[in-house]
Amino acid sequence: GMRAGGGGRGNRGGRGRRNHAYNNYHGGGGGGNGMIGMNNGYTSRGVHHLSRGHGRDNRRYGADNGYHHRGGDMKSARRGRGGGGLASGSSSYGGGHHHQGPASLTAQVPPDTNTIGVTSELYERWMLEFKSNKTTHVTLEDVAKRDMVLGLAVDQYGSRFIQQRLEDAPSSQKELAFAQIAPEALRLCTDVFGNYVIQKMFEFGTAEHRKKLAKKIEGHVLDLALQMYGCRVIQKAIDVLSLDEKVALVGELQGHVMKCVRDQNGNHVIQKCIEKVPPTSIQFIIEAFRNQNVKLAMHPYGCRVIQRLLEHCSSAQRNSMLKEILEQTQGLAKNQYGNYVIQHVLIHGSARHRAAVIKSFQGILLPLSKHKFASNVIEKCVTHATRQERQMLIEEILGTDSRNALNPPLMGMVRDQFANYVVQRLIDVMDPEQRQYLIQRIGRHLPNLRKIPYGKHIVARIEKIAGYM
């Protein structure tokens, strides 16, 4: 399910949920301490904080999760929820809702006759074997010559059987299966179990099979991209088709980019296009984003798509997007989705773009550090800054003018449920000279620091580093 973006304090030590585990927006990934989406560059470092007893959530910075939508490795129907990714919480694979069970087959099997070579007894036995996954002796040919392929494709266990056989069957047998699947390919794309069979066909069929399947979905790409099972088939097709076929396929999305980006299924297809199709062929996506980048960066799916674009597009395309984004860094940093985009620029961006982000926060580090979402961004600033930039951050946090000497902004930060992490991060990444300077500036505050919330963590870090222990 989805989590509301905010959330009260964590129940251990008053830690609010900062970036709520945003993977739980249909893209799978979620779960466990730092399950990070594929290729998303973010690490999850919540865990070691928990051990210190303040209720810091495992902040999963997983603003990504392209393909997770797919739900597990598709082989095992027993995976239940698979990799998540479905808005309704319906199971990715094997939940069994609206599954057409063996009944859909029995119609083809007259009781106890052998006209098509399979008795109901044999059929029952096979179905039990498919269910328990013990079918080493049954081949694709066995089921194909009895016209069973289609019926099995839409059955929970039958589908798994066909998927497994497609991986290692000789091409003559794949051909037999394909002949039965092809006429109904489009229907299977949107079927809870059939979609996996089509995906496997795309993956393990011959080039000829791929070409014919691509032909079958021609003219239906948008509808499939917006459908919870169809969108996986389209993603798989983009993975395996030849460049020309791919480009033709994604061309059908032209004029519908925004609709897809804002859709819980379609956004994964757009992400896949960006990852697998050369930048020159997806200029239409960049065009659709023109003057919309800031708005999309604050959208639960849009923010992921923007990150994929920043990773894969050409530098000219990237610059045109960042021009918009860098004008609004403060607003984005405070947004529950936009903050991921700014973090992404700090982690993966060029030195020039990173410098622009850090400069834009000058003078407002304190309020941003105390902000639930922006504090994550300021932590990334501290981590990825050059030494000079870090020196500027330190000056601002320590306060340079004499009236601040008694109570530097730092003291307010240490007291704050979010800003104290920025201070801890700063202490971690400073060089020895900067640390010396910090200790010298706040040395007289150490006794008071021990008494305030979160202060003891800070003191412990300083002491450990300074070797007082």
Side-chain angles (χ1 to χ4, degrees):
M2 302 201 311
R3 286 219 180 103
R9 311 246 164 133
N11 47 11
R12 289 192 286 176
R15 163 89 182 144
R17 294 189 73 85
R18 234 191 310 175
N19 274 338
H20 62 296
Y22 154 106
N23 279 351
N24 286 2
Y25 274 93
H26 341 292
N33 281 329
M35 282 217 25
I36 321 273
M38 297 182 193
N39 74 25
N40 78 9
Y42 299 129
T43 49
S44 160
R45 309 157 328 221
V47 201
H48 64 285
H49 294 296
L50 279 173
S51 60
R52 275 199 241 97
H54 40 66
R56 179 182 206 182
D57 181 59
N58 299 336
R59 289 177 302 154
R60 283 175 286 180
Y61 297 128
D64 143 53
N65 295 346
Y67 201 99
H68 286 41
H69 201 44
R70 216 181 45 194
D73 66 353
M74 302 187 294
K75 266 197 209 155
S76 144
R78 287 167 301 187
R79 287 199 165 231
R81 288 292 300 272
L86 305 186
S88 61
S90 49
S91 82
S92 290
Y93 190 164
H97 63 291
H98 82 266
H99 99 250
Q100 302 121 312
S104 62
L105 282 179
T106 35
Q108 305 167 8
V109 185
D112 293 313
T113 61
N114 268 319
T115 49
I116 57 163
V118 61
T119 60
S120 54
E121 190 190 324
L122 174 65
Y123 169 75
E124 291 300 326
R125 195 171 78 226
W126 279 5
M127 287 317 285
L128 277 172
E129 289 176 350
F130 294 159
K131 191 166 178 171
S132 61
N133 217 358
K134 295 193 183 79
T135 47
T136 40
H137 61 288
V138 184
T139 65
L140 265 185
E141 191 174 3
D142 292 333
V143 295
K145 68 182 185 212
R146 296 174 170 84
D147 261 336
M148 289 170 67
V149 176
L150 211 49
L152 290 173
V154 296
D155 171 79
Q156 181 173 352
Y157 305 108
S159 167
R160 181 177 62 190
F161 164 77
I162 293 179
Q163 291 168 56
Q164 289 167 343
R165 288 293 171 269
L166 282 172
E167 287 187 18
D168 44 30
S171 48
S172 59
Q173 293 197 20
K174 288 181 187 172
E175 186 54 56
L176 291 172
F178 183 75
Q180 288 176 35
I181 289 166
E184 292 295 323
L186 204 53
R187 179 171 72 83
L188 291 177
C189 286
T190 59
D191 181 83
V192 57
F193 305 119
N195 80 86
Y196 294 104
V197 171
I198 300 292
Q199 286 187 61
K200 274 285 188 270
M201 259 298 169
F202 265 118
E203 204 174 344
F204 293 98
T206 63
E208 197 49 40
H209 292 157
R210 282 199 279 275
K211 205 187 236 32
K212 284 179 177 160
L213 283 176
K215 205 83 194 129
K216 289 277 179 197
I217 57 181
E218 209 174 278
H220 302 279
V221 176
L222 178 63
D223 293 339
L224 291 172
L226 299 173
Q227 203 271 341
M228 62 159 64
Y229 306 120
C231 74
R232 304 168 189 182
V233 173
I234 300 295
Q235 287 175 73
K236 179 62 79 181
I238 294 169
D239 266 333
V240 302
L241 287 175
S242 71
L243 182 57
D244 295 345
E245 292 169 324
K246 239 182 252 211
V247 171
L249 186 116
V250 305
E252 291 190 31
L253 300 177
Q254 213 155 336
H256 308 285
V257 174
M258 278 306 146
K259 186 171 186 173
C260 291
V261 169
R262 293 203 175 97
D263 180 81
Q264 62 196 18
N265 305 311
N267 83 85
H268 294 282
V269 172
I270 298 291
Q271 287 186 64
K272 181 61 78 175
C273 293
I274 295 164
E275 286 165 17
K276 298 286 182 180
V277 180
T280 44
S281 302
I282 51 164
Q283 180 62 25
F284 71 93
I285 296 179
I286 303 282
E287 296 296 338
F289 276 39
R290 198 177 300 282
N291 298 324
Q292 304 286 317
N293 281 294
V294 173
K295 204 159 104 198
L296 285 167
M298 298 194 279
H299 184 275
Y301 311 140
C303 78
R304 299 181 195 163
V305 176
I306 284 186
Q307 290 174 72
R308 292 299 80 68
L309 279 169
L310 292 175
E311 287 159 7
H312 297 278
C313 65
S314 69
S315 58
Q317 291 170 332
R318 193 177 294 122
N319 289 339
S320 81
M321 290 173 64
L322 284 172
K323 194 169 177 300
E324 295 174 36
I325 289 167
L326 292 175
E327 280 168 13
Q328 304 284 334
T329 54
Q330 296 173 21
L332 289 172
K334 291 183 186 164
N335 180 268
Q336 62 173 327
Y337 304 113
N339 78 84
Y340 292 109
V341 172
I342 303 299
Q343 287 185 57
H344 194 279
V345 176
L346 287 164
I347 297 167
H348 303 288
S350 66
R352 179 168 67 91
H353 293 134
R354 193 179 296 138
V357 171
I358 292 174
K359 193 170 186 323
S360 72
F361 297 146
Q362 217 167 338
I364 52 165
L365 284 178
L366 202 59
L368 290 180
S369 297
K370 292 179 174 181
H371 188 278
K372 178 174 177 175
F373 300 121
S375 58
N376 286 297
V377 176
I378 301 302
E379 256 189 78
K380 291 292 184 299
C381 287
V382 164
T383 307
H384 297 279
T386 62
R387 187 186 190 279
Q388 265 171 310
E389 288 166 339
R390 199 172 288 137
Q391 191 60 43
M392 174 209 91
L393 299 172
I394 291 170
E395 293 296 344
E396 186 172 330
I397 287 169
L398 288 177
T400 40
D401 47 338
S402 50
R403 67 198 153 111
N404 270 349
L406 289 170
N407 193 16
L410 178 85
M411 299 304 283
M413 290 175 73
V414 172
R415 269 191 195 86
D416 182 80
Q417 58 175 339
F418 303 125
N420 78 88
Y421 291 104
V422 176
V423 179
Q424 291 185 44
R425 169 63 55 200
L426 193 55
I427 293 169
D428 283 346
V429 297
M430 283 175 167
D431 61 33
E433 218 175 303
Q434 289 172 326
R435 263 188 217 125
Q436 242 2 85
Y437 176 64
L438 175 84
I439 289 168
Q440 185 191 323
R441 290 286 306 272
I442 64 161
R444 65 170 125 169
H445 297 290
L446 287 182
N448 297 341
L449 269 179
R450 289 178 199 278
K451 293 184 203 129
I452 61 178
Y454 314 109
K456 54 181 181 290
H457 304 307
I458 311 278
V459 176
R461 276 196 187 204
I462 290 175
E463 290 184 341
K464 191 173 165 194
I465 284 159
Y468 293 154
M469 307 196 75

PDB file of all heavy atoms in Angstrom, residues 23-43:
ATOM      1  N   ASN A  23       9.454   3.835  -2.342  1.00  0.00           N
ATOM      2  CA  ASN A  23       9.301   2.686  -3.232  1.00  0.00           C
ATOM      3  C   ASN A  23       7.937   2.082  -3.127  1.00  0.00           C
ATOM      4  O   ASN A  23       7.548   1.340  -3.985  1.00  0.00           O
ATOM      5  CB  ASN A  23      10.239   1.566  -2.817  1.00  0.00           C
ATOM      6  CG  ASN A  23      11.587   1.837  -3.338  1.00  0.00           C
ATOM      7  OD1 ASN A  23      11.717   2.748  -4.119  1.00  0.00           O
ATOM      8  ND2 ASN A  23      12.552   1.103  -2.945  1.00  0.00           N
ATOM      9  N   ASN A  24       7.283   2.333  -2.027  1.00  0.00           N
ATOM     10  CA  ASN A  24       6.007   1.676  -1.883  1.00  0.00           C
ATOM     11  C   ASN A  24       4.983   2.224  -2.837  1.00  0.00           C
ATOM     12  O   ASN A  24       3.907   1.723  -2.931  1.00  0.00           O
ATOM     13  CB  ASN A  24       5.488   1.820  -0.472  1.00  0.00           C
ATOM     14  CG  ASN A  24       6.264   0.913   0.418  1.00  0.00           C
ATOM     15  OD1 ASN A  24       7.173   0.255  -0.072  1.00  0.00           O
ATOM     16  ND2 ASN A  24       5.958   0.850   1.672  1.00  0.00           N
ATOM     17  N   TYR A  25       5.293   3.351  -3.456  1.00  0.00           N
ATOM     18  CA  TYR A  25       4.448   3.739  -4.566  1.00  0.00           C
ATOM     19  C   TYR A  25       4.711   2.701  -5.600  1.00  0.00           C
ATOM     20  O   TYR A  25       5.833   2.474  -5.940  1.00  0.00           O
ATOM     21  CB  TYR A  25       4.859   5.092  -5.097  1.00  0.00           C
ATOM     22  CG  TYR A  25       4.176   6.083  -4.297  1.00  0.00           C
ATOM     23  CD1 TYR A  25       4.759   6.623  -3.194  1.00  0.00           C
ATOM     24  CD2 TYR A  25       2.867   6.424  -4.604  1.00  0.00           C
ATOM     25  CE1 TYR A  25       4.065   7.510  -2.429  1.00  0.00           C
ATOM     26  CE2 TYR A  25       2.194   7.305  -3.831  1.00  0.00           C
ATOM     27  CZ  TYR A  25       2.779   7.845  -2.752  1.00  0.00           C
ATOM     28  OH  TYR A  25       2.099   8.723  -2.001  1.00  0.00           O
ATOM     29  N   HIS A  26       3.690   2.173  -6.186  1.00  0.00           N
ATOM     30  CA  HIS A  26       3.766   1.030  -7.057  1.00  0.00           C
ATOM     31  C   HIS A  26       5.025   1.003  -7.862  1.00  0.00           C
ATOM     32  O   HIS A  26       5.061   1.491  -8.934  1.00  0.00           O
ATOM     33  CB  HIS A  26       2.621   1.104  -8.019  1.00  0.00           C
ATOM     34  CG  HIS A  26       1.617   2.011  -7.451  1.00  0.00           C
ATOM     35  ND1 HIS A  26       0.904   1.686  -6.335  1.00  0.00           N
ATOM     36  CD2 HIS A  26       1.254   3.254  -7.778  1.00  0.00           C
ATOM     37  CE1 HIS A  26       0.110   2.679  -6.032  1.00  0.00           C
ATOM     38  NE2 HIS A  26       0.303   3.632  -6.880  1.00  0.00           N
ATOM     39  N   GLY A  27       6.038   0.428  -7.392  1.00  0.00           N
ATOM     40  CA  GLY A  27       7.174   0.206  -8.239  1.00  0.00           C
ATOM     41  C   GLY A  27       7.943  -0.883  -7.593  1.00  0.00           C
ATOM     42  O   GLY A  27       9.022  -1.231  -7.990  1.00  0.00           O
ATOM     43  N   GLY A  28       7.384  -1.454  -6.547  1.00  0.00           N
ATOM     44  CA  GLY A  28       8.033  -2.573  -5.952  1.00  0.00           C
ATOM     45  C   GLY A  28       9.268  -2.125  -5.236  1.00  0.00           C
ATOM     46  O   GLY A  28       9.365  -1.043  -4.751  1.00  0.00           O
ATOM     47  N   GLY A  29      10.228  -3.005  -5.162  1.00  0.00           N
ATOM     48  CA  GLY A  29      11.439  -2.655  -4.456  1.00  0.00           C
ATOM     49  C   GLY A  29      11.221  -2.811  -2.978  1.00  0.00           C
ATOM     50  O   GLY A  29      11.705  -3.732  -2.402  1.00  0.00           O
ATOM     51  N   GLY A  30      10.499  -1.991  -2.348  1.00  0.00           N
ATOM     52  CA  GLY A  30      10.229  -1.883  -0.931  1.00  0.00           C
ATOM     53  C   GLY A  30      10.844  -2.976  -0.077  1.00  0.00           C
ATOM     54  O   GLY A  30      11.712  -3.675  -0.498  1.00  0.00           O
ATOM     55  N   GLY A  31      10.475  -3.075   1.157  1.00  0.00           N
ATOM     56  CA  GLY A  31      10.802  -4.255   1.915  1.00  0.00           C
ATOM     57  C   GLY A  31      12.213  -4.287   2.437  1.00  0.00           C
ATOM     58  O   GLY A  31      13.146  -3.922   1.766  1.00  0.00           O
ATOM     59  N   GLY A  32      12.363  -4.700   3.685  1.00  0.00           N
ATOM     60  CA  GLY A  32      13.692  -4.909   4.193  1.00  0.00           C
ATOM     61  C   GLY A  32      14.389  -3.596   4.433  1.00  0.00           C
ATOM     62  O   GLY A  32      13.881  -2.555   4.138  1.00  0.00           O
ATOM     63  N   ASN A  33      15.581  -3.658   4.972  1.00  0.00           N
ATOM     64  CA  ASN A  33      16.216  -2.400   5.303  1.00  0.00           C
ATOM     65  C   ASN A  33      16.626  -1.619   4.118  1.00  0.00           C
ATOM     66  O   ASN A  33      16.310  -0.546   3.936  1.00  0.00           O
ATOM     67  CB  ASN A  33      17.439  -2.609   6.135  1.00  0.00           C
ATOM     68  CG  ASN A  33      17.052  -2.847   7.541  1.00  0.00           C
ATOM     69  OD1 ASN A  33      16.050  -2.321   7.948  1.00  0.00           O
ATOM     70  ND2 ASN A  33      17.774  -3.638   8.243  1.00  0.00           N
ATOM     71  N   GLY A  34      17.429  -1.980   3.266  1.00  0.00           N
ATOM     72  CA  GLY A  34      17.714  -0.983   2.261  1.00  0.00           C
ATOM     73  C   GLY A  34      17.480  -1.590   0.932  1.00  0.00           C
ATOM     74  O   GLY A  34      18.389  -1.683   0.175  1.00  0.00           O
ATOM     75  N   MET A  35      16.311  -2.099   0.666  1.00  0.00           N
ATOM     76  CA  MET A  35      16.140  -2.640  -0.670  1.00  0.00           C
ATOM     77  C   MET A  35      16.105  -1.502  -1.627  1.00  0.00           C
ATOM     78  O   MET A  35      15.236  -0.675  -1.590  1.00  0.00           O
ATOM     79  CB  MET A  35      14.864  -3.433  -0.765  1.00  0.00           C
ATOM     80  CG  MET A  35      15.122  -4.734  -0.143  1.00  0.00           C
ATOM     81  SD  MET A  35      14.344  -6.110  -0.914  1.00  0.00           S
ATOM     82  CE  MET A  35      14.040  -5.738  -2.545  1.00  0.00           C
ATOM     83  N   ILE A  36      17.086  -1.431  -2.425  1.00  0.00           N
ATOM     84  CA  ILE A  36      17.187  -0.296  -3.293  1.00  0.00           C
ATOM     85  C   ILE A  36      16.762  -0.735  -4.663  1.00  0.00           C
ATOM     86  O   ILE A  36      17.038  -1.842  -5.062  1.00  0.00           O
ATOM     87  CB  ILE A  36      18.641   0.122  -3.423  1.00  0.00           C
ATOM     88  CG1 ILE A  36      19.300  -0.014  -2.081  1.00  0.00           C
ATOM     89  CG2 ILE A  36      18.700   1.509  -3.962  1.00  0.00           C
ATOM     90  CD1 ILE A  36      19.181   1.111  -1.230  1.00  0.00           C
ATOM     91  N   GLY A  37      16.152   0.148  -5.369  1.00  0.00           N
ATOM     92  CA  GLY A  37      15.740  -0.183  -6.727  1.00  0.00           C
ATOM     93  C   GLY A  37      16.935  -0.486  -7.579  1.00  0.00           C
ATOM     94  O   GLY A  37      18.042  -0.141  -7.245  1.00  0.00           O
ATOM     95  N   MET A  38      16.702  -1.159  -8.706  1.00  0.00           N
ATOM     96  CA  MET A  38      17.792  -1.386  -9.624  1.00  0.00           C
ATOM     97  C   MET A  38      18.368  -0.059 -10.022  1.00  0.00           C
ATOM     98  O   MET A  38      17.665   0.898 -10.116  1.00  0.00           O
ATOM     99  CB  MET A  38      17.276  -2.046 -10.895  1.00  0.00           C
ATOM    100  CG  MET A  38      16.706  -3.375 -10.613  1.00  0.00           C
ATOM    101  SD  MET A  38      16.195  -4.092 -12.160  1.00  0.00           S
ATOM    102  CE  MET A  38      15.230  -5.430 -11.538  1.00  0.00           C
ATOM    103  N   ASN A  39      19.622  -0.042 -10.311  1.00  0.00           N
ATOM    104  CA  ASN A  39      20.363   1.105 -10.834  1.00  0.00           C
ATOM    105  C   ASN A  39      19.905   2.411 -10.225  1.00  0.00           C
ATOM    106  O   ASN A  39      19.725   3.364 -10.922  1.00  0.00           O
ATOM    107  CB  ASN A  39      20.224   1.188 -12.365  1.00  0.00           C
ATOM    108  CG  ASN A  39      18.874   1.675 -12.853  1.00  0.00           C
ATOM    109  OD1 ASN A  39      18.150   2.386 -12.168  1.00  0.00           O
ATOM    110  ND2 ASN A  39      18.544   1.325 -14.068  1.00  0.00           N
ATOM    111  N   ASN A  40      19.707   2.479  -8.917  1.00  0.00           N
ATOM    112  CA  ASN A  40      19.310   3.821  -8.596  1.00  0.00           C
ATOM    113  C   ASN A  40      20.316   4.567  -7.802  1.00  0.00           C
ATOM    114  O   ASN A  40      19.973   5.532  -7.168  1.00  0.00           O
ATOM    115  CB  ASN A  40      17.958   3.873  -7.955  1.00  0.00           C
ATOM    116  CG  ASN A  40      18.029   3.490  -6.526  1.00  0.00           C
ATOM    117  OD1 ASN A  40      19.095   3.336  -5.970  1.00  0.00           O
ATOM    118  ND2 ASN A  40      16.920   3.354  -5.895  1.00  0.00           N
ATOM    119  N   GLY A  41      21.502   4.130  -7.758  1.00  0.00           N
ATOM    120  CA  GLY A  41      22.511   5.001  -7.212  1.00  0.00           C
ATOM    121  C   GLY A  41      22.340   5.389  -5.751  1.00  0.00           C
ATOM    122  O   GLY A  41      23.272   5.856  -5.161  1.00  0.00           O
ATOM    123  N   TYR A  42      21.171   5.249  -5.146  1.00  0.00           N
ATOM    124  CA  TYR A  42      21.078   5.708  -3.779  1.00  0.00           C
ATOM    125  C   TYR A  42      21.395   4.594  -2.848  1.00  0.00           C
ATOM    126  O   TYR A  42      20.997   3.482  -3.060  1.00  0.00           O
ATOM    127  CB  TYR A  42      19.653   6.131  -3.427  1.00  0.00           C
ATOM    128  CG  TYR A  42      19.208   7.225  -4.265  1.00  0.00           C
ATOM    129  CD1 TYR A  42      18.025   7.177  -4.938  1.00  0.00           C
ATOM    130  CD2 TYR A  42      20.029   8.330  -4.426  1.00  0.00           C
ATOM    131  CE1 TYR A  42      17.650   8.207  -5.739  1.00  0.00           C
ATOM    132  CE2 TYR A  42      19.639   9.343  -5.223  1.00  0.00           C
ATOM    133  CZ  TYR A  42      18.460   9.281  -5.873  1.00  0.00           C
ATOM    134  OH  TYR A  42      18.075  10.302  -6.659  1.00  0.00           O
ATOM    135  N   THR A  43      22.056   4.890  -1.753  1.00  0.00           N
ATOM    136  CA  THR A  43      22.246   3.836  -0.784  1.00  0.00           C
ATOM    137  C   THR A  43      21.325   4.124   0.365  1.00  0.00           C
ATOM    138  O   THR A  43      20.996   5.256   0.618  1.00  0.00           O
ATOM    139  CB  THR A  43      23.663   3.852  -0.267  1.00  0.00           C
ATOM    140  OG1 THR A  43      23.924   5.201   0.102  1.00  0.00           O
ATOM    141  CG2 THR A  43      24.602   3.423  -1.347  1.00  0.00           C
TER     142      THR A  43
END
